[in-house]
Amino acid sequence: MDDLYREVIIEHYKNPGYRGHLDPHNIFFADNNPLCGDHIEITIQINEDETVKDARFDGHGCAISQASADLLMEFIIGKPIEEVKQLNKQDILDMLGIDLGPVRLKCALLSLKVLKAGVYGLGEASDSLVE
Ligand code: ZN
């Protein structure tokens, strides 16, 4: 991993700006990555014009899973829900600024999977959401 990007991930892991829980919230979803033991849950508030008013994540796990969740929450605040629904694997990789092998990719994509299951109002999150 490139040192510069490693610093970005460690900084977001150690000092997340968007860790927390919004109450009340319009969207809540939680899921795990059993391969690594990562857990992510998100709460989102939606404006009347269908944009993201505020977003927070909580959870535990490896640096990549937690840093990608923090970057993702930061990214979606103010964005239209329709745009959030279109986010994919490459968007997360662009936020992290690194390429990841298949195991670490699951860590990086957990927060997006949780987010998309939440905004789509699904009962469960599947990997096909983040391809
Ligand atoms: Zn992980």
Side-chain angles (χ1 to χ4, degrees):
M1 204 188 291
D2 185 289
D3 276 347
L4 173 68
Y5 295 128
R6 189 190 304 240
E7 273 178 34
V8 170
I9 289 168
I10 289 172
E11 181 60 29
H12 278 272
Y13 175 59
K14 285 187 173 167
N15 300 304
Y18 298 91
R19 182 181 283 280
H21 182 91
L22 297 171
D23 222 357
H25 52 257
N26 304 97
I27 291 172
F28 170 83
F29 203 89
D31 201 7
N32 303 300
N33 169 21
L35 291 177
C36 181
D38 307 319
H39 175 80
I40 293 285
E41 53 188 70
I42 56 159
T43 45
I44 296 175
Q45 293 175 342
I46 308 290
N47 288 311
E48 279 183 19
D49 67 355
E50 297 289 308
T51 57
V52 176
K53 182 180 178 187
D54 210 352
R56 291 290 183 279
F57 80 98
D58 206 353
H60 53 82
C62 68
I64 289 176
S65 69
Q66 306 300 302
S68 69
D70 197 51
L71 286 160
L72 188 59
M73 296 302 103
E74 181 176 37
F75 183 82
I76 65 169
I77 292 171
K79 297 273 192 314
I81 289 295
E82 282 307 311
E83 193 177 324
V84 172
K85 286 181 176 176
Q86 306 306 319
L87 291 171
N88 61 29
K89 180 167 82 178
Q90 192 56 49
D91 295 310
I92 292 285
L93 292 176
D94 289 347
M95 286 175 211
L96 290 169
I98 49 169
D99 280 323
L100 297 167
V103 174
R104 285 304 182 192
L105 195 56
K106 293 243 183 225
C107 301
L109 293 177
L110 175 62
S111 55
L112 181 61
K113 200 164 109 172
V114 168
L115 174 65
K116 289 186 80 169
V119 295
Y120 277 106
L122 302 177
E124 62 182 59
S126 78
D127 285 342
S128 62
L129 285 169
V130 292
E131 281 165 0

